[in-house]
Short mmCIF file of all heavy atoms in Angstrom, two decimals:
data_model
loop_
_atom_site.label_atom_id
_atom_site.label_comp_id
_atom_site.label_asym_id
_atom_site.label_seq_id
_atom_site.Cartn_x
_atom_site.Cartn_y
_atom_site.Cartn_z
N PRO A 933 -10.46 38.39 -3.89
CA PRO A 933 -11.03 38.22 -2.57
C PRO A 933 -10.26 37.11 -1.85
O PRO A 933 -9.95 36.09 -2.41
CB PRO A 933 -12.45 37.78 -2.83
CG PRO A 933 -12.42 37.15 -4.18
CD PRO A 933 -11.29 37.76 -4.91
N GLY A 934 -9.98 37.35 -0.59
CA GLY A 934 -9.23 36.38 0.19
C GLY A 934 -7.74 36.63 0.09
O GLY A 934 -7.23 37.52 0.73
N THR A 935 -7.09 35.88 -0.75
CA THR A 935 -5.64 35.97 -0.88
C THR A 935 -5.26 36.85 -2.07
O THR A 935 -5.79 36.69 -3.16
CB THR A 935 -5.04 34.57 -1.07
OG1 THR A 935 -5.42 33.76 0.04
CG2 THR A 935 -3.53 34.62 -1.14
N ASP A 936 -4.34 37.77 -1.84
CA ASP A 936 -3.80 38.62 -2.90
C ASP A 936 -2.51 37.98 -3.39
O ASP A 936 -1.78 37.36 -2.62
CB ASP A 936 -3.50 40.02 -2.36
CG ASP A 936 -4.75 40.72 -1.86
OD1 ASP A 936 -5.74 40.74 -2.59
OD2 ASP A 936 -4.71 41.24 -0.73
N VAL A 937 -2.21 38.13 -4.68
CA VAL A 937 -1.07 37.44 -5.30
C VAL A 937 -0.11 38.44 -5.91
O VAL A 937 -0.51 39.37 -6.62
CB VAL A 937 -1.58 36.45 -6.38
CG1 VAL A 937 -0.45 35.85 -7.18
CG2 VAL A 937 -2.42 35.36 -5.73
N LEU A 938 1.17 38.23 -5.64
CA LEU A 938 2.26 38.95 -6.28
C LEU A 938 2.85 38.02 -7.32
O LEU A 938 3.08 36.85 -7.04
CB LEU A 938 3.33 39.31 -5.23
CG LEU A 938 4.59 40.00 -5.75
CD1 LEU A 938 4.28 41.42 -6.21
CD2 LEU A 938 5.65 40.01 -4.63
N TYR A 939 3.07 38.55 -8.54
CA TYR A 939 3.59 37.67 -9.58
C TYR A 939 4.54 38.40 -10.51
O TYR A 939 4.60 39.62 -10.55
CB TYR A 939 2.45 37.03 -10.38
CG TYR A 939 1.60 37.97 -11.21
CD1 TYR A 939 1.93 38.22 -12.54
CD2 TYR A 939 0.47 38.57 -10.70
CE1 TYR A 939 1.14 39.06 -13.33
CE2 TYR A 939 -0.33 39.40 -11.47
CZ TYR A 939 0.02 39.65 -12.78
OH TYR A 939 -0.75 40.47 -13.54
N LEU A 940 5.30 37.60 -11.26
CA LEU A 940 6.15 38.09 -12.33
C LEU A 940 5.31 38.07 -13.60
O LEU A 940 4.71 37.04 -13.93
CB LEU A 940 7.38 37.20 -12.49
CG LEU A 940 8.33 37.22 -11.29
CD1 LEU A 940 9.35 36.08 -11.39
CD2 LEU A 940 9.02 38.55 -11.17
N HIS A 941 5.25 39.20 -14.30
CA HIS A 941 4.43 39.25 -15.51
C HIS A 941 5.29 39.12 -16.76
O HIS A 941 6.49 39.39 -16.75
CB HIS A 941 3.54 40.49 -15.54
CG HIS A 941 4.24 41.78 -15.82
ND1 HIS A 941 4.53 42.21 -17.08
CD2 HIS A 941 4.72 42.72 -14.98
CE1 HIS A 941 5.15 43.37 -17.01
NE2 HIS A 941 5.29 43.71 -15.75
N LEU A 942 4.64 38.70 -17.83
CA LEU A 942 5.33 38.43 -19.09
C LEU A 942 5.33 39.64 -19.99
O LEU A 942 4.36 40.40 -20.03
CB LEU A 942 4.67 37.26 -19.81
CG LEU A 942 4.60 35.95 -19.04
CD1 LEU A 942 3.94 34.87 -19.88
CD2 LEU A 942 5.97 35.50 -18.57
N ALA A 943 6.41 39.78 -20.76
CA ALA A 943 6.51 40.87 -21.73
C ALA A 943 5.47 40.71 -22.82
O ALA A 943 4.85 41.68 -23.24
CB ALA A 943 7.92 40.90 -22.33
N ASP A 944 5.27 39.48 -23.29
CA ASP A 944 4.30 39.20 -24.36
C ASP A 944 3.46 37.99 -23.96
O ASP A 944 3.80 36.86 -24.30
CB ASP A 944 5.03 38.94 -25.69
CG ASP A 944 4.07 38.72 -26.84
OD1 ASP A 944 2.84 38.74 -26.64
OD2 ASP A 944 4.56 38.51 -27.96
N PRO A 945 2.39 38.21 -23.20
CA PRO A 945 1.58 37.10 -22.72
C PRO A 945 1.03 36.20 -23.83
O PRO A 945 0.78 35.02 -23.62
CB PRO A 945 0.43 37.77 -21.96
CG PRO A 945 0.89 39.15 -21.68
CD PRO A 945 1.88 39.51 -22.75
#
Side-chain angles (χ1 to χ4, degrees):
T935 303
D936 298 311
V937 172
L938 176 69
Y939 66 92
L940 295 167
H941 73 84
L942 303 181
D944 183 359

